[in-house]
Amino acid sequence: MSESGRPDVTQELRLPWDDDPEELYEHAPCGYLTTLPDGTVVRVNQTFLDWTGYDRSDLVGHRRFRDLLTPGCQIYHETHYAPLLTMQSEVHEIALDVVCADGSRVPVLVNSVLERHDGGGPRVIRTMVFNATERRSYENELLHARNAAEAAEKRIRVLQRIVADLAAAPTEAEVAEAVIRAPEPAFDATSCSIYLVDQERDQLVAVASTDPTTGNWDDMPCSSPRAVAAVARRGDLHVVHNLAEAAEHFPDLAETMARSGRRTVVLLPLTTGPAEDQAGVTVLGVLAFSFAQERELTGGELGVIRLLGQQAGQALDRARLYDDARRREERAEFLAGITRALDEEHRLLQRARRLVERVVPDIADWAAVRLHVGPAGLREESGGPPPDHDLLAERIAKATHAARPVFATDGDRLDCTVLPLTARGRVLGTLALRMAADRRGAEAERAFLSDLADRAGLALENARLYEQERAIAQTLQRSLLAADVPAGDARFALETHYQAGGQDLEVGGDWFDAFPITRDKLAVVVGDVVGRGLEAASTMGQLRSAIRALATQESGPARLLEGLDRFCQRVESARMATVVYAEIDLDACTMVYACAGHLPPLLHQPAGSAEFLLQARSAPIGSRAGDVRRTEHRVRLSPGSRLLLYTDGLVERRDRPIDRGFEVLNRAFSRLRGAPLKGLAAGLADTMVGREHADDVCLLCLTLGAEERLERSLGADPLQIALLRSDLRAWMIGQGVDQDCLSAVLLGCSEAVANAIEHGYRNDPFGVVDVAATITADAVEVRVSDRGSWRGPSHSRGGA
């Protein structure tokens, strides 16, 4: 009995040291080998023989230990095992493969000890061999699991990167670019292609491919029997494992696989919606990727592939919403921009031109506007090349007759959309566009084009009405101005000019007038009524009539302005109008003037520089503030003096002070001192404001008396000769030259100036010809000179 009271079973056991040592050696749980230093087996236990299937006689004395190893292990024995054993006299847990008698292999772990003689030389090697079959299997399982884990981790990293890229991709194109990069690093795919569903056109559109040459990479209808379309309709992952399977279900795919050297193809639908509800899934595209070798995908890989399809589908759905919002915003911005651009132009031709210039190339590569205005119509075109003329004319007629757009479609021979331009129920014309193929057929694009046509039609109709009403307004404006100014009196000459605001439709309030008070007294006036429109024009006409009625020989400028103040009590719209009024005594060569809030006249006498007349100033007529006392001022005028009356549009600018405007006017007027009077006012307006000035400009230029000596400087332009003749004729009439002499002088002077232009400057318009004319008791002397180079040295320049 044991101390615990239980039976003592150890008495029944046989202790290890009671066993036969030889039996322990032969049947030990491991193999034992004793070899000579060269590896020859001299002793081996039964356990090793049982594992390997050898007989003892096969090994002892006949085989070396290394001969029992596989070729790879023999190399390892030579390069590692034997050197280590020699250096260390022992090695532990060396993994080797032993070749059995039947040729099979047994994985083993080897421990060896090298025994030496007393002198240190090798005597014998004792080796213990452990069967490592189960351990190797376990290690292989671990290795396989590790490899699978690493592959899964790699796929997860790739998927995470792709998901991050998808989250950052705002457009369909960028989502497709991110998706197509996934299969190759994640699954070692050979090539990839992606197709997106165009729901409006019911097509699968080939968007991107890493190798487009490997297959039928093109667009296809969603109803196509091809594999990609079939998977898109079904909405579930499909793996074509080999050529035989492809040939059975999708012959076109089998042909493509055979031609491109692909053996396995994965067709993954890109879906959005609940994965557990197949009926609620929407397919937005298909990702196709292939392998050069047959590939059996694991369940884990298939799960990752399906997850990729869901993530890509969600990203596509988000991108499409973003693209749709962006396109709506772009369309709205384009429509707003083209509306602003058309509003900047007031003329019909300019609006039509601006329309096609904005449409091309933003939304089309060719555009043309045709309007039914005038006898010949209006046409503006941009881009190119133009489409077939006959087909286009047929479609234009169809759109015009139906008053409805005719949109281009796939396979359309004309390839153009024609939009009728309508306004107020009337078809003005058409807008024809040739657009990119991806913009055809989409309902949103059609709605956008219809909106564009509506806006363009209204803008063009407004421009047409503007031009029509502007022509009426200008006719009314000019009819209210003085139709004829006094002429034919040698004692003075008048030149007037009116220029309506370049961007204004309404009639302005600027006006001028000149009329004789008596035979020897001339009245000149320039004024500006507050406001615009018909009321301003009506007030302008009433003021002009009132001034003519109030102007008498006895009244004078000051009393006339007082009369206008009383006139404002009955005509309220005339209040605050500005007027400069002057009376010129033609015989005494004096001028009396007064300014009621108007800009000062500019006077240039023959001797001296031009100066502004700043006296006799008071408030605008009908004013209740400021200096309302009316005064007048008398000025002595020398024969040949030039007086300029003008309105504020000539000098006032928002970007400069009024004093600067006065300086510019003074210089420009002084520079034209020697120019002919005819055309002087128009030339001065052109120099000061150009042709597209926003404000009205009104000028009246008066030359008083005949100059004792006429001096003029002309540009070397034959058109200037007519202006010179007019000025010279008026001067000679004022000097009392008889008609026969006058005609001869005009002819001779014209010939001399023409020769100077032709021979002195060779028609160079920048040259200058000087003309000076004087009258003696019995002759008229005219000298014409230039500063050019003559054609030949024998010719003299100038003439008299």
Side-chain angles (χ1 to χ4, degrees):
M1 295 293 290
S2 64
E3 294 179 358
S4 63
R6 295 178 180 177
D8 187 0
V9 297
T10 60
Q11 298 300 323
E12 302 176 4
L13 294 178
R14 191 176 173 188
L15 298 179
W17 49 83
D18 294 333
D19 291 341
D20 182 7
E22 185 64 26
E23 184 181 352
L24 290 176
Y25 172 81
E26 290 294 337
H27 299 288
C30 61
Y32 284 104
L33 292 96
T34 302
T35 65
L36 298 177
D38 64 354
T40 301
V41 177
V42 295
R43 190 175 182 184
V44 59
N45 73 343
Q46 188 61 41
T47 301
F48 183 84
L49 295 175
D50 292 341
W51 286 348
T52 60
Y54 290 106
D55 291 332
R56 196 179 305 271
S57 59
D58 295 334
L59 300 182
V60 175
H62 294 90
R63 304 286 292 272
R64 293 176 299 175
F65 176 68
R66 64 181 301 275
D67 296 335
L68 303 178
L69 304 178
T70 62
C73 291
Q74 289 179 9
I75 295 174
Y76 187 82
H77 183 280
E78 294 174 359
T79 58
H80 291 77
Y81 175 88
L84 284 174
L85 185 60
T86 301
M87 288 187 297
Q88 301 177 0
S89 298
E90 58 182 19
V91 292
H92 300 283
E93 295 184 352
I94 300 297
L96 298 172
D97 286 338
V98 174
V99 180
C100 299
D102 60 0
S104 63
R105 300 180 181 184
V106 177
V108 298
L109 290 177
V110 175
N111 293 338
S112 297
V113 176
L114 174 63
E115 294 184 5
R116 298 179 182 274
H117 295 292
D118 294 339
R123 188 176 71 88
V124 68
I125 300 173
R126 302 187 188 279
T127 300
M128 181 182 295
V129 180
F130 295 95
N131 192 327
T133 300
E134 293 184 1
R135 174 172 176 162
R136 181 69 59 85
S137 175
Y138 177 67
E139 288 177 349
N140 288 335
E141 290 179 2
L142 289 178
L143 182 60
H144 178 74
R146 187 182 71 177
N147 292 338
E150 289 177 351
E153 183 181 1
K154 176 184 175 182
R155 288 193 295 271
I156 293 299
R157 285 199 304 268
V158 171
L159 186 61
Q160 287 175 339
R161 185 176 70 250
I162 296 301
V163 169
D165 292 342
L166 292 176
T171 65
E172 272 191 338
E174 291 174 305
V175 169
E177 185 65 26
V179 173
I180 205 171
R181 293 198 304 265
E184 293 186 15
F187 308 105
D188 297 323
T190 305
S191 61
C192 311
S193 301
I194 188 169
Y195 300 79
L196 297 183
V197 177
D198 186 339
Q199 294 178 345
E200 291 188 348
R201 297 165 62 192
D202 195 31
Q203 279 192 330
L204 278 164
V205 180
V207 176
S209 177
T210 59
D211 188 5
T213 64
T214 60
N216 296 329
W217 190 69
D218 53 6
D219 298 351
M220 68 188 77
C222 290
S223 58
S224 170
R226 290 169 56 181
V228 171
V231 169
R233 292 193 298 271
R234 192 175 66 184
D236 193 14
L237 174 67
H238 186 81
V239 179
V240 180
H241 297 90
N242 49 54
L243 281 172
E245 184 178 336
E248 180 181 356
H249 298 287
F250 305 110
D252 66 298
L253 181 60
E255 180 183 350
T256 300
M257 292 171 63
R259 184 175 64 253
S260 59
R262 302 294 185 259
R263 293 297 176 264
T264 298
V265 174
V266 177
L267 300 171
L268 173 66
L270 310 178
T271 61
T272 182
E276 63 278 2
D277 182 10
Q278 189 68 21
V281 168
T282 301
V283 177
L284 302 181
V286 175
L287 176 66
F289 56 95
S290 58
F291 302 90
Q293 304 297 329
E294 289 189 11
R295 174 75 179 272
E296 189 67 31
L297 296 169
T298 66
E301 288 176 325
L302 293 175
V304 172
I305 290 173
R306 285 192 171 90
L307 181 60
L308 173 63
Q310 295 169 7
Q311 293 292 327
Q314 293 173 9
L316 278 174
D317 190 33
R318 183 178 63 252
R320 287 187 173 182
L321 292 175
Y322 174 83
D323 285 344
D324 186 54
R326 179 177 53 81
R327 280 193 292 268
R328 285 199 302 269
E329 183 179 357
E330 288 176 351
R331 295 185 192 111
E333 289 179 355
F334 179 82
L335 291 174
I338 203 167
T339 301
R340 289 193 300 269
L342 295 179
D343 286 344
E344 291 172 358
E345 300 289 348
H346 297 271
R347 310 299 295 273
L348 183 60
L349 177 62
Q350 281 75 13
R351 280 196 177 182
R353 185 171 300 156
R354 181 67 67 89
L355 174 61
V356 295
E357 288 175 351
R358 290 299 295 267
V359 167
V360 177
D362 287 353
I363 65 172
D365 61 12
W366 175 86
V369 170
R370 288 174 173 82
L371 300 178
H372 312 313
V373 293
L378 183 150
R379 175 174 176 173
E380 280 296 319
E381 182 177 328
S382 182
D388 182 86
H389 179 269
D390 295 335
L391 292 176
L392 180 61
E394 181 181 343
R395 184 160 297 181
I396 288 175
K398 181 179 179 182
T400 302
H401 177 73
R404 297 180 61 184
V406 180
F407 296 101
T409 58
D410 293 337
D412 189 348
R413 289 176 57 199
L414 180 61
D415 199 25
C416 283
T417 293
V418 177
L419 308 167
L421 301 174
T422 60
R424 301 174 179 90
R426 172 174 171 264
V427 178
L428 300 176
T430 58
L431 171 63
L433 305 170
R434 183 172 60 225
M435 306 173 66
D438 60 352
R439 302 186 72 130
R440 300 182 196 140
E443 288 300 323
E445 290 296 334
R446 292 188 174 189
F448 161 69
L449 292 177
S450 298
D451 196 359
L452 171 63
D454 291 342
R455 296 189 183 211
L458 184 59
L460 293 171
E461 172 67 1
N462 289 341
R464 186 188 69 82
L465 295 176
Y466 168 84
E467 290 195 351
Q468 178 181 331
E469 294 180 12
R470 191 172 191 269
I472 296 172
Q474 289 183 345
T475 301
L476 175 62
Q477 176 83 38
R478 297 187 184 281
S479 68
L480 292 174
L481 294 173
D484 298 311
V485 294
D489 194 326
R491 294 173 295 179
F492 70 91
L494 280 169
E495 174 79 1
T496 60
H497 177 73
Y498 173 79
Q499 180 176 317
Q503 299 179 354
D504 209 335
L505 173 63
E506 293 186 305
V507 179
D510 293 13
W511 56 282
F512 62 80
D513 199 4
F515 56 90
I517 299 175
T518 66
R519 182 181 179 279
D520 300 323
K521 184 177 289 187
L522 175 70
V524 293
V525 59
V526 168
D528 189 357
V529 174
V530 175
R532 302 189 69 78
L534 293 177
E535 183 178 10
S538 174
T539 303
M540 176 184 72
Q542 294 179 40
L543 271 177
R544 189 183 68 179
S545 299
I547 289 175
R548 288 200 173 209
L550 292 171
T552 64
Q553 184 174 6
E554 297 80 14
S555 62
R559 292 184 61 186
L560 183 139
L561 294 182
E562 291 172 356
L564 292 180
D565 288 331
R566 293 189 295 273
F567 172 79
C568 289
Q569 296 175 4
R570 300 190 304 274
V571 182
E572 185 67 23
S573 58
R575 195 175 298 279
M576 298 304 294
T578 64
V579 174
V580 55
Y581 173 78
E583 295 179 353
I584 297 99
D585 190 323
L586 300 175
D587 288 336
C589 291
T590 59
M591 179 181 71
V592 181
Y593 72 93
C595 286
H598 204 82
L599 299 181
L602 181 57
L603 176 64
H604 198 170
Q605 305 228 41
S609 57
E611 62 175 338
F612 290 98
L613 305 180
L614 299 173
Q615 293 77 23
R617 300 194 59 79
S618 57
I621 62 173
S623 175
R624 298 187 179 95
D627 188 356
V628 296
R629 296 171 299 173
R630 304 305 179 182
T631 61
E632 59 188 40
H633 186 72
R634 185 177 299 274
V635 178
R636 177 73 181 178
L637 302 178
S638 301
S641 297
R642 283 186 173 176
L643 177 70
L644 179 68
L645 306 182
Y646 54 93
T647 56
D648 55 4
L650 188 67
V651 294
E652 288 186 352
R653 301 289 182 275
R654 292 183 178 180
D655 57 351
R656 73 182 184 196
I658 187 66
D659 289 340
R660 176 61 179 163
F662 286 147
E663 292 175 7
V664 174
L665 175 60
N666 193 322
R667 285 200 304 270
F669 189 59
S670 298
R671 189 166 54 250
L672 296 172
R673 178 68 182 89
L677 180 64
K678 187 174 180 60
L680 184 144
L684 184 62
D686 191 52
T687 300
M688 293 292 294
V689 302
R691 294 296 179 185
E692 295 298 328
H693 186 51
D695 200 2
D696 295 349
V697 176
C698 187
L699 296 93
L700 184 149
C701 187
L702 169 72
T703 296
L704 183 64
E707 305 168 63
E708 294 182 3
R709 175 184 174 87
L710 183 139
E711 294 180 348
R712 297 290 184 265
S713 297
L714 311 175
D717 183 354
L719 296 177
Q720 295 286 319
I721 298 176
L723 301 178
L724 173 66
R725 288 170 60 90
S726 176
D727 230 17
L728 184 58
R729 180 191 297 276
W731 178 77
M732 288 191 292
I733 291 174
Q735 296 291 345
V737 177
D738 63 77
Q739 185 62 41
D740 292 339
C741 180
L742 185 148
S743 299
V745 170
L746 288 177
L747 178 60
C749 180
S750 299
E751 288 294 331
V753 172
N755 287 335
I757 293 173
E758 179 182 357
H759 299 291
Y761 295 107
R762 296 173 177 82
N763 296 320
D764 178 8
F766 295 100
V768 176
V769 178
D770 295 321
V771 179
T774 58
I775 296 181
T776 62
D778 54 358
V780 176
E781 180 180 331
V782 179
R783 180 171 297 276
V784 178
S785 59
D786 65 77
R787 304 175 185 85
S789 58
W790 203 253
R791 288 182 182 273
S794 61
H795 293 82
S796 60
R797 289 178 292 170

